[in-house]
């Protein structure tokens, strides 16, 4: 029997994973990849959050679950508890949304700074990784871990694969492709001082920051990996976030990053290329603009 798709399949999966009937799903908006819903939870809990993706690639939801557990294990940032994950479904603790208060934003900034103080074993992911529905490529063999290896890793595994996807899909003009390729060639010179890999969220746009009714923001939907902390902050700035100035000010009180302002466009290039590959539209031109700004500020 084929698994039903959409919300019907999601409710069936959650019931099977939790071992009880969870009732009818209440659909949730806000995402651009998965179908998500609020469902009744087991005894002692009012609800769970669950999401599904028809045709999800192998490891898609288990990688997300692993990323959430990795972030939680640092004891720095708050994430929803993972209740279950399988081929088609991820089930998380329900977090009641709340207002983006200044105190919550400032706490998040300090917690992000603490997260970025955690060393990662290497650049990139140890196992399968995804951003949106796209796979995050990983080097074969021994993963790079030396501070000076970031530029080559970032160009080969975080910029060029998504540039090729976007260009092949018709989302990049030739001049914009050349600008990104120029950034990749010059990355060792424009990346700033070498630093060891830090654990980062990896997909930190505002939709993955859940301000909560209990007063502590949660991070969701990570592409957790070893990276440069500036990437998380640049992505928050790229798409905006409630109380963003307070988040950044609190972060920088704990963990100032010299020269970060000059490298924002550089670190926004990866998410822009991902969006160009996924959605086309204006994102290809925006990636070209970011590449030229990164070159001009070098």
């Amino acid at each position: 029997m084929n698994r039903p798709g959409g919300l019907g399949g999601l409710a069936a999966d959650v019931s099977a994973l939790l071992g009880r009937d969870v009732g009818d799903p209440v659909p949730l908006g806000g995402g651009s990849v998965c179908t998500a819903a609020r469902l009744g939870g087991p005894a002692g809990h009012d609800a769970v959050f669950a999401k599904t993706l028809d045709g999800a690639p192998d490891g898609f939801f288990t990688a997300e679950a692993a990323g959430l557990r990795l972030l939680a294990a640092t004891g720095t940032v708050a994430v929803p508890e993972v209740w279950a994950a399988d081929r088609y479904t991820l089930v998380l603790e329900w977090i009641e949304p709340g207002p983006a208060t200044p105190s919550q934003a400032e706490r998040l900034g300090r917690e992000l700074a603490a997260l970025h103080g955690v060393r990662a074993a290497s650049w990139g992911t140890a196992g399968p990784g995804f951003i949106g529905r796209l796979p995050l490529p990983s080097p074969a063999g021994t993963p790079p871990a030396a501070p000076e290896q970031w530029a080559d890793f970032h160009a080969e595994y975080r910029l060029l694969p998504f540039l090729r996807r976007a260009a092949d899909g018709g989302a990049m003009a030739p001049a914009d492709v050349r600008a990104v390729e120029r950034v990749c060639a010059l990355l060792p010179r424009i990346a700033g001082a070498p630093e060891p890999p830090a654990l980062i969220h990896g997909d930190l746009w505002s939709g993955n920051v859940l301000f909560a009714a209990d007063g502590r923001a949660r991070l969701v939907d990570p592409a957790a990996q070893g990276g440069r902390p500036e990437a998380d902050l640049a992505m928050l700035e790229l798409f905006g976030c409630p109380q963003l100035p307070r988040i950044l000010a609190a972060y920088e009180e704990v963990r100032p990053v010299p020269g970060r302002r000059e490298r924002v466009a550089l670190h926004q290039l990866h998410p822009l290329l991902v969006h160009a590959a996924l959605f086309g539209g204006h994102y290809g031109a925006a990636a070209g603009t970011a590449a030229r700004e990164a070159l001009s500020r070098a």
Side-chain angles (χ1 to χ4, degrees):
M1 179 184 297
N2 291 329
R3 173 191 179 275
L7 290 174
L10 179 61
D13 272 359
V14 174
S15 294
L17 288 167
L18 299 183
R20 70 184 300 274
D21 181 18
V22 294
D24 294 330
V26 177
L28 301 171
S32 56
V33 175
C34 295
T35 299
R38 183 183 188 272
L39 302 103
H45 295 266
D46 292 331
V48 297
F49 170 89
K51 63 181 181 178
T52 187
L53 175 64
D54 293 340
D58 288 341
F60 184 77
F61 288 118
T62 53
E64 182 176 341
L68 287 167
R69 290 176 174 130
L70 182 62
L71 295 179
T74 68
T76 57
V77 293
V79 301
E81 182 179 353
V82 177
W83 284 12
D86 71 0
R87 174 71 170 78
Y88 295 104
T89 306
L90 178 68
V91 187
L92 304 176
E93 168 194 13
W94 174 259
I95 304 297
E96 190 66 28
T101 61
S103 61
Q104 198 164 174
E106 289 165 3
R107 180 173 183 176
L108 175 60
R110 294 190 292 270
E111 291 179 343
L112 278 175
L115 171 67
H116 292 160
V118 176
R119 286 281 295 271
S122 64
W123 301 110
T125 61
F130 298 87
I131 187 162
R133 68 173 71 91
L134 299 180
L136 281 169
S138 298
T142 303
E148 62 272 13
Q149 290 178 294
W150 177 80
D152 289 342
F153 164 80
H154 193 68
E156 186 173 355
Y157 295 99
R158 292 297 178 266
L159 297 183
L160 290 174
F162 299 98
L163 173 65
R164 296 186 190 108
R165 278 180 175 267
D168 290 347
M172 300 284 297
D176 294 328
V177 171
R178 290 192 295 272
V180 176
E181 291 173 337
R182 181 69 173 158
V183 168
C184 292
L186 295 178
L187 200 52
R189 289 170 46 188
I190 65 178
E195 58 184 270
L199 181 57
I200 65 172
H201 178 282
D203 192 10
L204 197 60
W205 70 290
S206 62
N208 290 339
V209 176
L210 175 58
F211 289 96
D214 66 5
R216 188 180 188 190
R218 300 331 193 261
L219 302 185
V220 300
D221 199 11
Q225 59 187 288
R228 306 252 334 222
E230 293 171 72
D232 278 349
L233 304 183
M235 194 165 185
L236 275 180
E237 291 187 89
L238 178 60
F239 296 111
C241 184
Q243 302 282 355
L244 180 60
R246 289 182 181 273
I247 294 172
L248 295 177
Y251 181 101
E252 290 168 1
E253 285 178 5
V254 177
R255 192 180 183 279
V257 185
R260 188 185 75 82
R261 295 302 319 164
E262 286 68 40
R263 295 187 294 271
V264 170
L266 172 62
H267 289 284
Q268 290 177 341
L269 190 50
H270 168 61
L272 284 169
L273 290 171
V274 170
H275 278 68
L278 282 171
F279 307 117
H282 69 282
Y283 290 113
T289 298
R292 284 184 283 273
E293 181 176 349
L295 292 169
S296 72
R297 287 178 172 269

